[in-house]
Amino acid sequence: MNENMTPTIAEAGMNEALKQARIAGSVGEVPIGAVVMHQGKIVGRGYNLREHAQDATLHAEIMAISEANHTLNTWRLEDCQLFVTIEPCPMCSGAIINARIPEVYFGARDPKAGTVRSLYQLLEDPRFNHRVIVHEGLMADQASTLMQNFFRAIRRGRGAKKPGSQRTK
Protein backbone atom coordinates (compact mmCIF):
# COMPACT_ATOMS: atom_id res chain seq x y z
CA MET A 1 0.00 0.00 0.00
CA ASN A 2 1.41 3.40 -0.88
CA GLU A 3 1.83 5.97 1.90
CA ASN A 4 -1.37 7.83 0.92
CA MET A 5 -3.53 4.70 0.81
CA THR A 6 -4.85 3.98 4.29
CA PRO A 7 -6.90 0.86 5.05
CA THR A 8 -9.96 3.11 5.43
CA ILE A 9 -9.49 4.62 1.96
CA ALA A 10 -8.83 1.17 0.47
CA GLU A 11 -12.04 -0.16 2.04
CA ALA A 12 -13.97 2.86 0.74
CA GLY A 13 -12.66 2.15 -2.76
CA MET A 14 -13.65 -1.49 -2.63
CA ASN A 15 -17.04 -0.68 -1.08
CA GLU A 16 -17.75 1.57 -4.06
CA ALA A 17 -16.58 -1.16 -6.45
CA LEU A 18 -18.99 -3.56 -4.73
CA LYS A 19 -21.76 -0.99 -5.11
CA GLN A 20 -21.01 -0.80 -8.84
CA ALA A 21 -21.08 -4.62 -9.01
CA ARG A 22 -24.52 -4.66 -7.38
CA ILE A 23 -25.76 -2.21 -10.01
CA ALA A 24 -24.48 -4.52 -12.74
CA GLY A 25 -26.20 -7.50 -11.17
CA SER A 26 -29.47 -5.61 -10.77
CA VAL A 27 -29.64 -5.02 -14.53
CA GLY A 28 -28.76 -8.61 -15.43
CA GLU A 29 -25.05 -8.10 -16.03
CA VAL A 30 -22.32 -10.19 -14.42
CA PRO A 31 -21.81 -8.35 -11.10
CA ILE A 32 -18.34 -6.90 -11.43
CA GLY A 33 -17.60 -3.34 -10.41
CA ALA A 34 -14.53 -1.12 -10.47
CA VAL A 35 -13.41 2.32 -9.36
CA VAL A 36 -10.29 4.38 -9.93
CA MET A 37 -9.09 6.56 -7.07
CA HIS A 38 -6.73 9.53 -7.26
CA GLN A 39 -5.47 11.15 -4.06
CA GLY A 40 -8.16 9.36 -2.06
CA LYS A 41 -11.05 10.47 -4.29
CA ILE A 42 -12.98 8.46 -6.83
CA VAL A 43 -12.33 9.71 -10.37
CA GLY A 44 -13.78 6.79 -12.32
CA ARG A 45 -16.53 4.22 -11.83
CA GLY A 46 -17.67 1.30 -13.91
CA TYR A 47 -19.64 -1.89 -14.02
CA ASN A 48 -20.14 -4.52 -16.67
CA LEU A 49 -22.45 -3.49 -19.51
CA ARG A 50 -21.42 -5.82 -22.31
CA GLU A 51 -24.77 -7.65 -22.48
CA HIS A 52 -26.84 -4.47 -22.64
CA ALA A 53 -24.57 -2.78 -25.16
CA GLN A 54 -23.59 -5.99 -26.96
CA ASP A 55 -20.02 -4.68 -26.76
CA ALA A 56 -17.31 -7.10 -25.61
CA THR A 57 -15.13 -4.24 -24.35
CA LEU A 58 -17.56 -2.83 -21.79
CA HIS A 59 -16.03 -4.41 -18.71
CA ALA A 60 -16.10 -2.64 -15.35
CA GLU A 61 -12.38 -1.86 -15.38
CA ILE A 62 -12.44 -0.40 -18.90
CA MET A 63 -15.37 1.85 -18.00
CA ALA A 64 -13.71 3.05 -14.77
CA ILE A 65 -10.37 3.68 -16.51
CA SER A 66 -12.06 5.58 -19.33
CA GLU A 67 -13.98 7.80 -16.91
CA ALA A 68 -10.79 8.46 -14.93
CA ASN A 69 -8.97 9.40 -18.16
CA HIS A 70 -11.68 11.96 -18.92
CA THR A 71 -11.91 13.25 -15.34
CA LEU A 72 -8.14 13.77 -15.05
CA ASN A 73 -7.70 14.70 -18.73
CA THR A 74 -4.86 12.23 -19.23
CA TRP A 75 -4.40 8.66 -20.40
CA ARG A 76 -1.65 8.19 -17.81
CA LEU A 77 -3.15 7.24 -14.45
CA GLU A 78 0.24 7.14 -12.72
CA ASP A 79 -0.99 8.42 -9.36
CA CYS A 80 -4.12 6.27 -9.19
CA GLN A 81 -5.33 3.01 -7.75
CA LEU A 82 -7.86 0.65 -9.32
CA PHE A 83 -10.28 -1.29 -7.13
CA VAL A 84 -12.13 -4.16 -8.78
CA THR A 85 -14.32 -6.83 -7.27
CA ILE A 86 -13.04 -9.74 -9.41
CA GLU A 87 -9.58 -10.44 -10.80
CA PRO A 88 -9.11 -8.69 -14.17
CA CYS A 89 -9.19 -10.55 -17.49
CA PRO A 90 -6.48 -10.25 -20.21
CA MET A 91 -8.11 -7.23 -21.86
CA CYS A 92 -8.50 -5.35 -18.59
CA SER A 93 -4.99 -6.27 -17.43
CA GLY A 94 -3.69 -4.82 -20.70
CA ALA A 95 -5.65 -1.61 -20.13
CA ILE A 96 -4.26 -1.35 -16.59
CA ILE A 97 -0.71 -1.70 -17.89
CA ASN A 98 -1.30 0.75 -20.74
CA ALA A 99 -2.87 3.33 -18.40
CA ARG A 100 0.21 3.04 -16.15
CA ILE A 101 -1.90 2.39 -13.04
CA PRO A 102 0.62 1.65 -10.28
CA GLU A 103 -1.65 -0.27 -7.88
CA VAL A 104 -4.56 -2.66 -8.24
CA TYR A 105 -6.73 -4.01 -5.45
CA PHE A 106 -9.02 -6.90 -6.31
CA GLY A 107 -11.41 -8.98 -4.29
CA ALA A 108 -11.85 -12.54 -5.53
CA ARG A 109 -9.89 -14.56 -8.06
CA ASP A 110 -11.33 -15.60 -11.40
CA PRO A 111 -10.01 -19.11 -12.09
CA LYS A 112 -11.40 -19.13 -15.65
CA ALA A 113 -10.24 -15.74 -16.95
CA GLY A 114 -8.10 -14.02 -14.32
CA THR A 115 -4.72 -12.80 -15.49
CA VAL A 116 -3.41 -11.17 -12.33
CA ARG A 117 -2.94 -14.33 -10.24
CA SER A 118 -5.03 -17.24 -11.55
CA LEU A 119 -4.00 -18.02 -15.15
CA TYR A 120 -1.17 -15.52 -15.65
CA GLN A 121 0.51 -12.75 -13.70
CA LEU A 122 0.41 -10.08 -16.39
CA LEU A 123 0.48 -7.06 -14.08
CA GLU A 124 3.80 -8.06 -12.53
CA ASP A 125 5.43 -9.54 -15.64
CA PRO A 126 8.90 -7.96 -15.96
CA ARG A 127 8.76 -8.21 -19.76
CA PHE A 128 6.27 -5.32 -19.88
CA ASN A 129 7.39 -1.70 -19.64
CA HIS A 130 5.14 -1.18 -16.59
CA ARG A 131 4.56 -3.33 -13.54
CA VAL A 132 1.73 -3.01 -11.06
CA ILE A 133 1.66 -3.55 -7.32
CA VAL A 134 -1.14 -6.05 -6.68
CA HIS A 135 -3.22 -6.33 -3.52
CA GLU A 136 -5.41 -9.42 -3.54
CA GLY A 137 -8.34 -10.41 -1.35
CA LEU A 138 -9.79 -7.08 -0.23
CA MET A 139 -13.44 -7.90 0.59
CA ALA A 140 -13.08 -11.13 -1.39
CA ASP A 141 -15.97 -12.83 0.43
CA GLN A 142 -18.45 -10.11 -0.55
CA ALA A 143 -17.26 -10.10 -4.17
CA SER A 144 -17.36 -13.86 -4.42
CA THR A 145 -20.82 -14.03 -2.83
CA LEU A 146 -22.19 -11.55 -5.39
CA MET A 147 -20.92 -13.70 -8.23
CA GLN A 148 -22.12 -16.98 -6.70
CA ASN A 149 -25.60 -15.62 -6.00
CA PHE A 150 -25.90 -14.16 -9.50
CA PHE A 151 -25.00 -17.38 -11.27
CA ARG A 152 -27.02 -19.50 -8.85
CA ALA A 153 -30.10 -17.39 -9.66
CA ILE A 154 -29.50 -17.76 -13.40
CA ARG A 155 -29.12 -21.53 -13.08
CA ARG A 156 -32.38 -21.66 -11.16
CA GLY A 157 -34.12 -19.55 -13.79
CA ARG A 158 -35.00 -16.77 -11.35
CA GLY A 159 -32.27 -14.39 -12.40
CA ALA A 160 -32.74 -11.47 -14.71
CA LYS A 161 -32.50 -12.59 -18.30
CA LYS A 162 -29.51 -11.15 -20.00
CA PRO A 163 -30.33 -8.89 -22.95
CA GLY A 164 -29.44 -10.56 -26.20
CA SER A 165 -29.09 -13.96 -24.54
CA GLN A 166 -31.89 -15.52 -26.55
CA ARG A 167 -30.65 -16.53 -29.95
CA THR A 168 -32.82 -16.66 -33.00
CA LYS A 169 -32.27 -18.89 -35.98
Side-chain angles (χ1 to χ4, degrees):
M1 220 178 284
N2 74 35
E3 66 275 357
N4 297 325
M5 184 56 59
T6 67
T8 303
I9 294 171
E11 287 179 13
M14 189 57 81
N15 273 321
E16 182 61 27
L18 285 163
K19 179 180 174 184
Q20 296 299 308
R22 287 184 198 97
I23 294 169
S26 74
V27 299
E29 295 282 348
V30 175
I32 299 174
V35 298
V36 175
M37 293 185 84
H38 178 257
Q39 298 177 348
K41 295 181 182 173
I42 295 171
V43 294
R45 291 176 173 80
Y47 56 87
N48 282 359
L49 276 175
R50 69 182 185 172
E51 292 292 339
H52 277 76
Q54 290 299 295
D55 183 338
T57 67
L58 292 185
H59 287 204
E61 300 95 323
I62 301 298
M63 307 232 357
I65 290 168
S66 180
E67 185 174 300
N69 293 146
H70 293 292
T71 300
L72 298 174
N73 197 32
T74 181
W75 65 267
R76 291 179 183 92
L77 301 178
E78 295 168 326
D79 297 323
C80 295
Q81 299 79 35
L82 174 74
F83 294 84
V84 61
T85 57
I86 302 296
E87 179 181 9
C89 73
M91 175 182 67
C92 294
S93 290
I96 291 163
I97 291 166
N98 283 318
R100 309 293 196 267
I101 296 173
E103 276 185 287
V104 169
Y105 295 76
F106 77 90
R109 287 189 180 194
D110 181 349
K112 293 183 179 180
T115 58
V116 177
R117 291 281 190 257
S118 296
L119 300 176
Y120 300 98
Q121 294 77 44
L122 292 181
L123 299 185
E124 297 167 308
D125 191 319
R127 295 172 292 180
F128 288 112
N129 64 335
H130 176 73
R131 278 163 295 296
V132 179
I133 298 167
V134 176
H135 306 275
E136 176 185 354
L138 183 59
M139 299 182 180
D141 290 341
Q142 294 96 314
S144 182
T145 298
L146 278 174
M147 294 288 280
Q148 290 168 356
N149 290 344
F150 177 80
F151 287 110
R152 187 176 298 125
I154 287 176
R155 283 191 300 275
R156 290 183 182 159
R158 292 193 310 253
K161 292 214 180 220
K162 294 181 188 176
S165 64
Q166 295 180 348
R167 292 189 175 174
T168 58
K169 291 187 178 187

